[in-house]
Amino acid sequence: MSKKIIITGGAGFIGSHVVRLFVTKYPEYTIINLDALTYAGNLENLKDIESSPNYIFEKANIVDAEAVKAVFDKYQPDGVIHLAAESHVDRSITSPLDFVYTNVIGTVNLLNAAKELWKEDYTGKRFHHVSTDEVYGALGETGFFTEATKYDPHSPYSASKASSDHFVYAYSDTYGLPVVLTNCSNNYGPNHFPEKLIPLMIHNIIHNKPLPVYGDGKYTRDWLYVIDHARAIDLVFHQGAAGENYNVGGFNEWKNIDLVKLLCKQMDEKLQRPAGTSEQLITFVKDRPGHDLRYAIDAGKIHKELGWAPSVTFEEGLSKTIDWYLDNKEWLDHVTSGAYQAYYEQQYAH
Ligand code: NAD
Ligand code: TYD
């Protein structure tokens, strides 16, 4: 069946993988990538599919309600998969308002545009909001986030995502808008902007720069290969129950310091450096304020109800990811020139 789907944030890390999956798997769909191309948006991520007949790019800022409405009026989409966001916790600590504008107001603008366009008949329509496990707050040494875990965000980033989730539920409860949500753990993989842990460390190892580990490095994250997240979004968008959320995670917890050591080991092998070379670059630096100790997802619901499970092990995924960065040095050079240098100096000055 043909469908028109607006994917927001399709030029970003996860969005580009979702766009690629939908454009290639569903040639009968028209995929409209709506993205403002902020520092995190990069059309180079989509070079391989940009001339596909079922792919369209629209540059627009979701904070601008008129611009959003114009794109909805032009394409009359049946579905929205909403990934556009300010996504980096450290940036949210220095510029929280940017997160309120894009993540909260931008989401409400999209909800309004969908509600207005679909008001006569919600049949066959779907608004999929892509969110994070960080809305649930932090875990201690044990336990998992389930779909029933109470929201308890700590950073301005997670507070803005929690707020956007609440608006999505409110539009379902108040107006009957057919929504689904996914709350996913930390992703990694190709095209990840090198402000986040894994690509930042890969970039620094390549360039023999210090590897800045926050605090004591005991903070724990649950890592998922980005293509497995895209597969989960595909399933939930098509088969998820309206009004519900699905937790998505890798069943794959790592303390930051152990993860960085694994990366060092794999990269020493790939770069043919003597074992132990890159580990010497590890530098413990000032901690992030309000740093959440541990995230871990119970992905039992999406597994049981929709049959989803991660398709690659962490070692395989990490190896593929490192290979991608080593094979795409030009991409890495482009995104780390200019504004990135100023960001890095400011963030890691201490
Ligand atoms: P990203 O920062 O790599 O990409 C964000 C994209 O959104 C960019 O292309 C950017 O240009 C676009 N964008 C930002 N502000 C915009 C605006 N005002 N209007 C239009 N476009 C705008 O982010 P990501 O890591 O790919 O995350 C995508 C989504 O998934 C986000 O909603 C994030 O909260 C969620 N998420 C991310 C992770 C993760 O580990 N990265 C985990 C769970 C959930
Ligand atoms: P990050 O990739 O920013 O994702 P999130 O904060 O959304 O989980 O960070 C992952 C973990 O790595 C987090 O505990 C913070 C830590 N971290 C460092 O130790 N050093 C760094 O330079 C960065 C960017 C993150």
Side-chain angles (χ1 to χ4, degrees), residues 12-14 35-36 38 41 61-62 83 87 102 131 157 161 184 187:
F13 166 46
I14 302 169
D35 198 296
T38 68
N61 192 323
I62 59 170
L83 296 109
S87 67
T102 287
S131 192
Y157 164 66
K161 291 297 291 187
C184 189
N187 285 213

Side-chain angles (χ1 to χ4, degrees), residues 13 39 87-91 134 186-189 191-206 209-224 252-264 267 281-288 291-293 295 314 318 321-322 325 332 336 340 343-344 347-348:
F13 166 46
Y39 78 93
S87 67
H88 189 35
V89 173
D90 291 326
R91 288 185 194 255
E134 302 191 27
N186 289 62
N187 285 213
Y188 70 97
N191 309 97
H192 204 182
F193 193 81
E195 64 186 352
K196 307 279 171 62
L197 180 73
I198 290 181
L200 185 143
M201 296 295 169
I202 293 175
H203 177 244
N204 287 12
I205 292 171
I206 292 173
K209 284 176 65 178
L211 308 179
V213 174
Y214 295 164
D216 61 5
K218 301 272 172 61
Y219 297 93
T220 301
R221 299 292 183 262
D222 172 359
W223 293 94
L224 177 69
N252 178 43
E253 288 183 50
W254 285 81
K255 285 193 173 38
N256 293 338
I257 186 65
D258 297 335
L259 167 44
V260 173
K261 284 182 179 168
L262 175 63
L263 259 178
C264 288
M267 288 202 61
L281 297 168
I282 292 175
T283 311
F284 292 94
V285 299
K286 195 168 133 239
D287 209 348
R288 173 188 280 174
H291 200 161
D292 286 335
L293 178 66
Y295 304 142
F314 190 51
L318 206 56
T321 303
I322 297 168
Y325 282 94
L332 201 50
T336 52
Y340 180 82
Y343 163 78
Y344 197 91
Q347 179 63 24
Y348 295 95

Side-chain angles (χ1 to χ4, degrees), residues 228-274:
D228 283 327
H229 185 188
R231 289 174 49 244
I233 290 171
D234 178 18
L235 271 178
V236 172
F237 177 77
H238 287 101
Q239 295 171 40
E244 295 201 13
N245 77 314
Y246 295 82
N247 283 354
V248 186
F251 305 97
N252 178 43
E253 288 183 50
W254 285 81
K255 285 193 173 38
N256 293 338
I257 186 65
D258 297 335
L259 167 44
V260 173
K261 284 182 179 168
L262 175 63
L263 259 178
C264 288
K265 182 169 172 288
Q266 286 202 0
M267 288 202 61
D268 281 347
E269 284 162 15
K270 288 180 194 286
L271 293 167
Q272 296 178 329
R273 293 176 180 171

Side-chain angles (χ1 to χ4, degrees), residues 31-58:
I31 302 302
I32 302 109
N33 173 11
L34 186 166
D35 198 296
L37 300 183
T38 68
Y39 78 93
N42 185 351
L43 290 176
E44 275 184 64
N45 294 346
L46 293 164
K47 266 206 307 244
D48 55 323
I49 57 101
E50 70 187 359
S51 50
S52 303
N54 63 336
Y55 170 73
I56 296 165
F57 174 66
E58 281 283 347

